[in-house]
């Protein structure tokens, strides 16, 4: 099988694939380079950070299989995939564990001023009495998008002694029951925003979620609340967030995803002390990436053997 790897993935998986298949790597490639690299390929492996447009896929007449080494499908033209009948396989589970843990790390870091504490201590400043933080225990955690990742975060919050509220785009009684079993009460977006001390965003980026957290949504939040965006840049209006953070409308924010991502981009929030910024590292754990790599190899084997490949858990 002729494979194109368009994003960095686990090195062991890359080694295994190279031993078994004809593999080409085009990492961080622009549209022209990608169209060139994919020309004779049958399978494409990719993550976020690369745009899999109709033009890119159309340049590969033999393309049959797309493996999304993770969760989000906002960087692929799903309509084209559907029209052409390509097989798209997502591998969302391993990364979900890592994203949920990072969400917690960011909530804790914000609450206990960890970045400040570290920076000041390194400078010889003993700022113990300036670094009074907040507990998570006993607080309300609001999950915007209580799906695969969001419900994990909710479960962790419940275990941490938090009261957990969540919302989903299409609520049903069955979803409410499943979430209830994880310690999450299903409600609507407005109630989540109004009541939560910690609002974590975990929705996919699509037409209905662009600027979901805009000035109006931020105005519903408690001034003592913090916002954690683990979803996608574009879901949170960064200009409105900046305004909320500088005017005291919001205590703090952490963003792992940004409206503009990649080398050289500086967030419009970069100068704010009550903000933590990370470079889309939610799924970046050795364990998760190793597991994703193993699943990629299994998927390719199954596809080559003509056996059933688990279809994408998307609206395809
Ligand atoms: C994902 O959607 O799985 C994450 O954004 C991880 C990634 O692909 O970088």
């Amino acid at each position: 099988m002729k494979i194109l790897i368009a994003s960095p993935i686990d090195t062991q998986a890359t080694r295994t694939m190279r031993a078994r298949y004809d593999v080409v790597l085009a990492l961080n490639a622009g549209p022209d380079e990608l169209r060139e690299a994919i020309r004779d390929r049958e399978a494409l492996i990719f993550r976020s950070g690369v745009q899999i447009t109709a033009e890119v896929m159309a340049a590969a007449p033999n393309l049959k299989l797309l493996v999304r080494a993770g969760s989000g499908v906002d960087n692929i033209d799903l309509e084209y995939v559907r029209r052409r009948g390509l097989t798209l396989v997502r591998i969302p589970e391993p990364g979900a564990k890592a994203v949920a843990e990072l969400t917690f790390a960011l909530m804790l870091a914000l609450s206990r001023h960890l970045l400040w504490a570290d920076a000041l201590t390194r400078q010889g400043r003993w700022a113990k009495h300036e670094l009074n933080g907040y507990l998570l225990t006993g607080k309300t955690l609001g999950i915007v998008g209580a799906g695969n990742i969001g419900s994990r975060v909710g479960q962790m919050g419940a275990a941490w002694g938090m009261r957990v509220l969540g919302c989903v785009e299409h609520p049903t009684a069955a979803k409410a029951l499943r979430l209830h079993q994880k310690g999450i009460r299903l409600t609507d977006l407005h109630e989540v925003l109004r009541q939560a001390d910690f609002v974590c965003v975990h929705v996919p980026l699509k037409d209905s979620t662009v600027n979901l957290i805009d000035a109006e949504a931020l105005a519903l939040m408690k001034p003592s609340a913090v916002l954690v965006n683990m979803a996608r840049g574009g879901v949170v209006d960064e200009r409105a967030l900046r305004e909320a953070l500088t005017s005291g409308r919001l205590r703090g924010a952490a963003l792992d995803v940004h409206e503009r991502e990649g080398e050289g981009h500086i967030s419009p929030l970069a100068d704010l002390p009550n903000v933590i910024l990370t470079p889309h590292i939610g799924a970046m754990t050795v364990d998760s990436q190793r597991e994703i790599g193993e699943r990629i190899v299994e998927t390719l084997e199954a596809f080559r053997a003509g056996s059933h490949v688990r279809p994408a858990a998307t609206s395809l």
Side-chain angles (χ1 to χ4, degrees):
M1 190 162 21
K2 292 181 189 299
I3 297 168
L4 174 63
I5 301 178
S7 309
I9 58 161
D10 178 61
T11 44
Q12 180 54 50
T14 306
R15 231 176 279 136
T16 306
M17 282 188 270
R18 283 196 136 144
R20 296 183 191 175
Y21 306 107
D22 171 352
V23 174
V24 166
L25 262 74
L27 308 181
N28 308 315
D32 294 344
E33 197 188 329
L34 211 50
R35 269 201 309 273
E36 192 48 44
I38 203 169
R39 220 159 267 289
D40 63 341
R41 302 288 103 184
E42 299 164 277
L44 169 66
I45 298 163
F46 66 102
R47 295 181 55 183
S48 58
V50 60
Q51 291 303 318
I52 312 301
T53 60
E55 291 72 32
V56 165
M57 292 181 276
N62 301 329
L63 187 66
K64 295 176 198 72
L65 175 66
L66 303 154
V67 183
R68 170 62 171 99
S71 175
V73 285
D74 48 285
N75 57 335
I76 181 160
D77 188 331
L78 289 176
E79 184 47 43
Y80 179 86
V81 171
R82 193 180 293 119
R83 257 201 335 269
R84 188 161 148 192
L86 299 172
T87 301
L88 170 62
V89 178
R90 291 166 67 232
I91 307 175
E93 289 304 327
K97 299 175 210 169
V99 176
E101 288 195 3
L102 184 64
T103 308
F104 246 78
L106 291 171
M107 285 197 286
L108 287 164
L110 279 170
S111 301
R112 302 303 298 271
H113 314 297
L114 280 192
L115 300 192
W116 272 113
D118 176 77
L120 294 173
T121 309
R122 283 169 196 263
Q123 292 162 22
R125 290 268 333 274
W126 199 255
K128 177 171 176 138
H129 297 285
E130 296 159 44
L131 291 168
N132 215 5
Y134 296 89
L135 283 177
L136 267 57
T137 305
K139 299 286 165 45
T140 299
L141 170 61
I143 309 288
V144 178
N148 186 29
I149 297 171
S151 63
R152 275 177 195 275
V153 175
Q155 230 171 342
M156 289 165 71
W160 207 276
M162 303 179 86
R163 170 177 167 254
V164 188
L165 305 177
C167 62
V168 294
E169 189 171 22
H170 302 293
T172 62
K175 281 183 195 169
L177 180 61
R178 270 201 304 279
L179 290 172
H180 174 74
Q181 286 161 349
K182 294 180 174 181
I184 305 165
R185 181 163 74 78
L186 185 62
T187 178
D188 58 45
L189 175 63
H190 282 192
E191 196 184 346
V192 167
L193 294 171
R194 269 197 208 103
Q195 295 212 18
D197 301 296
F198 295 84
V199 173
C200 299
V201 187
H202 298 285
V203 294
L205 177 65
K206 50 186 184 169
D207 290 347
S208 58
T209 62
V210 172
N211 284 340
L212 181 69
I213 308 298
D214 57 7
E216 215 175 295
L218 292 165
L220 294 174
M221 290 175 64
K222 298 178 186 179
S224 57
V226 304
L227 180 79
V228 180
N229 184 14
M230 302 299 292
R232 280 293 183 266
V235 171
V236 173
D237 179 342
E238 289 177 3
R239 213 172 305 170
L241 178 59
R242 185 181 169 87
E243 173 59 28
L245 288 163
T246 51
S247 65
R249 274 287 314 126
L250 211 60
R251 184 157 61 81
L255 293 90
D256 184 48
V257 288
H258 311 271
E259 280 176 12
R260 301 187 67 206
E261 295 193 354
E263 196 64 28
H265 292 304
I266 297 182
S267 166
L269 307 167
D271 62 324
L272 303 184
N274 50 346
V275 170
I276 298 178
L277 304 170
T278 51
H280 201 145
I281 53 170
M284 292 302 294
T285 67
V286 170
D287 320 68
S288 299
Q289 292 306 320
R290 187 188 301 128
E291 199 179 332
I292 290 172
E294 287 164 3
R295 303 257 194 108
I296 294 171
V297 171
E298 284 166 19
T299 302
L300 294 172
E301 286 297 295
F303 196 77
R304 179 165 69 171
S307 58
H308 179 69
V309 169
R310 232 176 330 145
T314 65
S315 51
L316 272 181

